[in-house]
Amino acid sequence: MSNYEPNTAAVSAARPRVTVKTVTSLAMLVALTYLAMLISNLLPKVAGFLQFEIKGTVIAIGGFLFGPLSAAIISIVVAFIEMFTVSDTGIIGCVMNLLAACAFACPAAFIYQKMRTRKGAVIGLTVGIAALTVTMLLWNYLITPIYMHMDRSVVAAMLPTVFLPFNLAKGGLNMALTLILYKPVVTALRKARLVPERENAQSGDRFDAGFLLFSFALLATFVLLVLVLAGKI
């Protein structure tokens, strides 16, 4: 009978290092998401109560790196921190923020995990915009009359004219920022050894000049849409 026993000490010692790196990265992304939320408060509002947000960018990047579950975790943590620190919308605002963040970032991260290329990123984020828009149309119809003390028929009339373009613009803004910022953020995290190096990277993964130009054009388009919806131009 063999006296060999697995070196459980070595295995258990290796696992915490991976876990600590992941937790550290997620904590950093939570902090960046919270910062993005604070910056978003400087952006103009639509209809006096709809706030454009760019925190979906950081959550999507976290989802691209660690998967849709991590995107959901970041969304949940930041939504609760926001509720207890700077938000004046209480649990309703927390739920709506959580739904919006998860609807955008989780589908995008899921698709990107299956197609880790530029094409996969664009498809995933486009699906994320669609999921965000549909989800928030439904929940705005259900929740806004309660939160804003409006008649439901008034809210229903606002769905195609206010809520639809608002969520498309918000999703598009976050999509463009994600495409622009993903590689710099990942490069910084890899230099800090918080995420592993990619192996067998394909040419489709390179964010080249043409793709960057496309991303900036997309950003300019949605920034203009944001300004139009906010009545600034």
Side-chain angles (χ1 to χ4, degrees):
M1 181 176 179
S2 173
N3 292 324
Y4 171 76
E5 294 182 1
N7 190 346
T8 55
V11 174
S12 60
R15 285 178 179 171
R17 283 198 294 270
V18 175
T19 302
V20 167
K21 284 185 178 181
T22 302
V23 171
T24 301
S25 298
L26 290 177
M28 185 183 302
L29 290 167
V30 166
L32 289 173
T33 303
Y34 186 80
L35 178 61
M37 179 273 299
L38 294 177
I39 294 173
S40 297
N41 291 333
L42 303 176
L43 298 177
K45 292 185 178 181
V46 173
F49 67 97
L50 293 173
Q51 180 68 63
F52 284 107
E53 293 179 333
I54 58 173
K55 65 183 180 184
T57 299
V58 186
I59 299 173
I61 290 173
F64 280 11
L65 282 170
F66 300 108
L69 179 59
S70 295
I73 291 172
I74 297 171
S75 302
I76 293 169
V77 172
V78 173
F80 275 96
I81 294 175
E82 180 180 354
M83 180 177 68
F84 288 112
T85 54
V86 297
S87 176
D88 58 359
T89 57
I91 189 64
I92 292 179
C94 177
V95 170
M96 296 294 276
N97 286 332
L98 177 57
L99 287 170
C102 287
F104 173 72
C106 292
F110 177 81
I111 292 174
Y112 185 71
Q113 290 293 306
K114 304 296 182 182
M115 301 172 58
R116 300 186 67 89
T117 61
R118 290 179 304 181
K119 180 179 179 180
V122 171
I123 293 174
L125 290 166
T126 301
V127 172
I129 294 174
L132 165 68
T133 303
V134 172
T135 299
M136 297 317 293
L137 283 177
L138 172 62
W139 283 97
N140 279 128
Y141 177 75
L142 295 175
I143 298 298
T144 301
I146 300 171
Y147 171 65
M148 297 297 296
H149 306 290
M150 290 177 165
D151 188 271
R152 197 170 298 277
S153 61
V154 175
V155 174
M158 293 172 65
L159 292 180
T161 59
V162 177
F163 292 108
L164 176 62
F166 169 79
N167 285 293
L168 287 174
K170 183 170 75 171
L173 185 63
N174 280 282
M175 174 182 178
L177 288 171
T178 301
L179 294 176
I180 292 170
L181 296 176
Y182 176 70
K183 187 170 183 179
V185 170
V186 173
T187 300
L189 289 174
R190 283 179 178 153
K191 287 182 178 179
R193 300 185 183 277
L194 292 175
V195 295
E197 293 289 338
R198 286 282 305 278
E199 295 181 359
N200 300 323
Q202 299 176 4
S203 59
D205 291 326
R206 293 198 302 267
F207 283 58
D208 57 23
F211 187 75
L212 193 61
L213 181 62
F214 161 77
S215 301
F216 273 110
L218 195 67
L219 177 62
T221 300
F222 283 105
V223 166
L224 286 174
L225 180 56
V226 166
L227 294 175
V228 168
L229 291 175
K232 300 298 181 181
I233 58 175

